[in-house]
Amino acid sequence: MNERSITQYYRKHRKAIVTATSGLLYGGGWSLGHLTSFDMASAVILVFATVVGGYDIAQTAYHEVSNRTLGIKTLVTLAAIGAIIIGEYWEAAAVVFLFSLGSYLEGRTMRKTRTALQELLEMTPDTATVRRDGELQEVPAREVEEGEVVVVKPGGKIPVDGTVIDGESAVNQAPVTGESAPVHKADGDGVYAGTVNQEGALEIRTTGAGSDTTLERIIRRVEEAQEAQSPTESLIDRFAKYYTPAVIALAIGAYAVTQNAILSLTLLVIGCPGALVIGPPVSIVSAIGNAARSGVLMKGGEHLERAGKIDLVAFDKTGTLTKGETTVADVEGFGIADDEVLSLAATTEKKSEHHLADAIVDAARERPTAATDGGATVANAVEADRNPRSIPDPDDFDVVAGKGVVARYDGHEIVVGNRALLDDRGIDIPSRVADYVREREERGETVVHVIRDGDVIGTIAMRDELREAAPDVVAALRDAGIKTMMLTGDNERTAAAVAEEVGIDEYRAELLPEDKQSVIEACQADGHVVAMVGDGINDAPSLATADVGIAMGAAGTDTAIETADMALMADDLERIPYAVTLSKATRWNVLENVGLAVLTVTVLLAGVLTSYITLASGMLVHEASVLAVILNGMRLLRY
Amino acid sequence: MSDTTQFRVMDFDCPTCASTVERALSNVNGVQHVEVHYATGRVEIEYDDSVADPDVFAQTIENQGYTPQPA
């Protein structure tokens, strides 16, 4: 080992070396004093142990005082100097050594918490293989431009956000979405930087590189979340500012009254609020870091603490409990051909952005024998796929929010909507139509009526498949003591069928978007702490009203990352029980840490006042309590 | 013109260490706003780039006994 590497080694391990040296000197000094009669030599060694172990502490204390902040290092320095002045060399060396050992262990453990986020950052590769001028070039990943083509070999990490333009593979998206199973990717699918290409080579057209990737955005959000203090943290921070000067005042007061310097110095050491101040942030940072690695973005301590009190989870139905891929299950004409019903409905709905409208228009485009605006009739579905039907535009078009659409086409008024819209317009539903609709709704399907010039000419039944995980998620929440509720614009019968299938506790049907918000407000007025789960865009008002808004599938939409209190990166419902129970565990963890800290100071104070606690044993217990709260908080890293 | 820079300090022992660094940095000429967080070790400095020299920030952190790393 040359001189330079020795210096580097010393710098890197300075704290451990100083602590060990101070400990050895302390042990030697103590042995000399207790086992031999070399009292003077023992005193000299103990003072030396205090100086070696205390130099860094005193230096920081000097900075603390000169920057007008008072912390434990100032208290420890005062205690050590005081102990030497009154001849208690053993106590001085013990306090310094135990503090040094405690803060070394504390530093090691805290570093683990602090590096949890760095691991996420290291997921992104530094270089990318880019196709430029027909040749493959290795370039720094940050320098890849939008639109460039990146090639990723099997087993390689994907360096950019982009769209697959060639190749097929299974991609492990765990770093971004938390999904444990690989996701199949082929032409046209989006991929994220930091994910791992497992099987085949992929060519990817870049949509974002460097700091403009989903993973980087998540990391930035997580960092910001870690900085946002929870109410408990803010309270303790404010408290700590006044507490340390108060401890010094108490120690001076105790000396003035009792003239007992040891008592006064012990008060200084044990009075420091170390565990109290350190506990809550460690718990919260650990929980946010764990959640991030599992694909759940927590937007800060405040939301995390509130989420710990959730006792009701409200789910939006479409796209949340269901897959959000509505398809037409059945078209029934009453007095006219089924295809004509579908064709008219598609024209009416063509300009609507509602998901039911999309399903109707898609069905009409793909239906092999659907009536069209005069185009040639195609023979089969394969042909329709290749050459989808064009749908004519309506002459005018009006959306009735939450109820349906009214349009004019070819001289007729066409209405496509739910029962409420028919009631509003005074349209009677023939009994055979009503019977048919009831039967479909009892299967959990959503039915819209098609009306031409005031007469019901047909119905379209649509189905949105439930997510497979939905019943298990609802059951897991119930097991955690949390009530569940489904909010939907669907009619009562469809909602009841879906609610029964999922096993949800309560449902509210036939809701307009603003009604969902009112339902949440009513639940809050009943004393519930409500979480609302939605897709982050359509449900914005109810997500904002709920105590905790949980957006799903946020990896694909920046809006969801920006607006929700909690965001699930993947469309993975199973993360919800995890996120809610993690929040509850965090809240308990913070309370445990605060409780342990207060209990320690109370017991130590009682011990000092009854002379059971010495300066050294006070420091030992104090440092042990600091380590205990850090280790307790770090349990959340592996929750 | 206002600019921001960040560091990460991994060797804070306690929240007071963070407050000490925060105070020291806020006394540097041209610094407009400083946030130092104990739990994450993140140091964020907003400064007037016509007055402040960003090289001084790392030195100031080192002078307080801590090791700044680029964020």
Side-chain angles (χ1 to χ4, degrees), chain A residues 559-593:
Chain A
T559 325
I561 296 182
E562 298 302 321
T563 54
D565 302 321
M566 216 185 261
L568 311 183
M569 290 303 135
D571 260 353
D572 184 1
L573 262 190
E574 284 175 272
R575 294 279 155 207
I576 289 171
Y578 157 81
V580 173
T581 52
L582 172 67
S583 306
K584 287 196 180 294
T586 309
R587 186 166 165 257
W588 276 112
N589 200 284
V590 168
L591 290 174
E592 283 161 15
N593 279 351

Side-chain angles (χ1 to χ4, degrees), chain A residues 15 63 106 114 223 227, chain B residues 8 10 13 37-38 63:
Chain A
K15 219 164 190 170
H63 290 304
E106 193 186 311
R114 290 188 185 125
E223 283 198 314
E227 307 303 343
Chain B
R8 199 170 281 277
M10 303 298 267
D13 291 327
H37 294 273
Y38 158 71
N63 288 347

Side-chain angles (χ1 to χ4, degrees), chain A residues 105-125:
Chain A
L105 295 173
E106 193 186 311
R108 270 181 68 108
T109 16
M110 268 313 285
R111 246 191 300 278
K112 278 192 187 163
T113 316
R114 290 188 185 125
T115 47
L117 199 63
Q118 303 281 84
E119 288 169 16
L120 265 183
L121 262 174
E122 284 157 16
M123 294 285 178
T124 326

Side-chain angles (χ1 to χ4, degrees), chain A residues 313 315 321 466-485 498-506 573-578 580-581:
Chain A
V313 176
F315 293 91
L321 288 173
L466 275 183
R467 288 181 193 273
E468 283 163 21
D472 292 343
V473 167
V474 168
L477 287 172
R478 188 179 301 118
D479 290 347
I482 293 161
K483 202 169 148 184
T484 52
M485 183 184 274
V498 174
E500 196 188 336
E501 202 174 339
V502 181
I504 216 144
D505 293 328
E506 276 185 39
L573 262 190
E574 284 175 272
R575 294 279 155 207
I576 289 171
Y578 157 81
V580 173
T581 52

Side-chain angles (χ1 to χ4, degrees), chain A residues 15 60 63-64 67-69 71 73 106 110-111 114-115 223 226-227 277-278 281 285, chain B residues 8 10 12-13 15-17 19-20 23-24 27 37-42 63-64 66:
Chain A
K15 219 164 190 170
T60 314
H63 290 304
E64 282 180 5
N67 286 306
R68 298 192 305 281
T69 48
K73 287 176 180 169
E106 193 186 311
M110 268 313 285
R111 246 191 300 278
R114 290 188 185 125
T115 47
E223 283 198 314
Q226 290 182 337
E227 307 303 343
V277 182
I278 286 170
V285 167
Chain B
R8 199 170 281 277
M10 303 298 267
F12 283 146
D13 291 327
T16 315
C17 305
S19 315
T20 305
R23 289 248 186 174
N27 289 332
H37 294 273
Y38 158 71
T40 53
R42 192 157 94 148
N63 288 347
Q64 306 303 308
Y66 304 97

Side-chain angles (χ1 to χ4, degrees), chain A residues 169-174 179-185 196 198-199:
Chain A
S169 185
V171 173
N172 178 358
Q173 303 200 121
E179 292 159 289
S180 50
V183 181
H184 181 258
K185 298 283 180 183
V196 183
Q198 292 190 320
E199 288 170 356

Side-chain angles (χ1 to χ4, degrees), chain A residues 316-319 322 324-328 349 352-362 446 462-464 488-490 516 535 538:
Chain A
D316 168 49
K317 192 202 88 173
T318 308
T322 65
E325 296 159 7
T326 308
T327 52
V328 170
E349 296 275 17
S352 165
E353 287 171 4
H354 198 274
H355 65 99
L356 294 181
D358 291 344
I360 291 172
V361 172
D362 287 348
T446 305
M462 279 165 284
R463 191 198 312 270
D464 183 3
T488 175
D490 277 344
K516 292 184 184 176
D535 65 10
N538 299 340

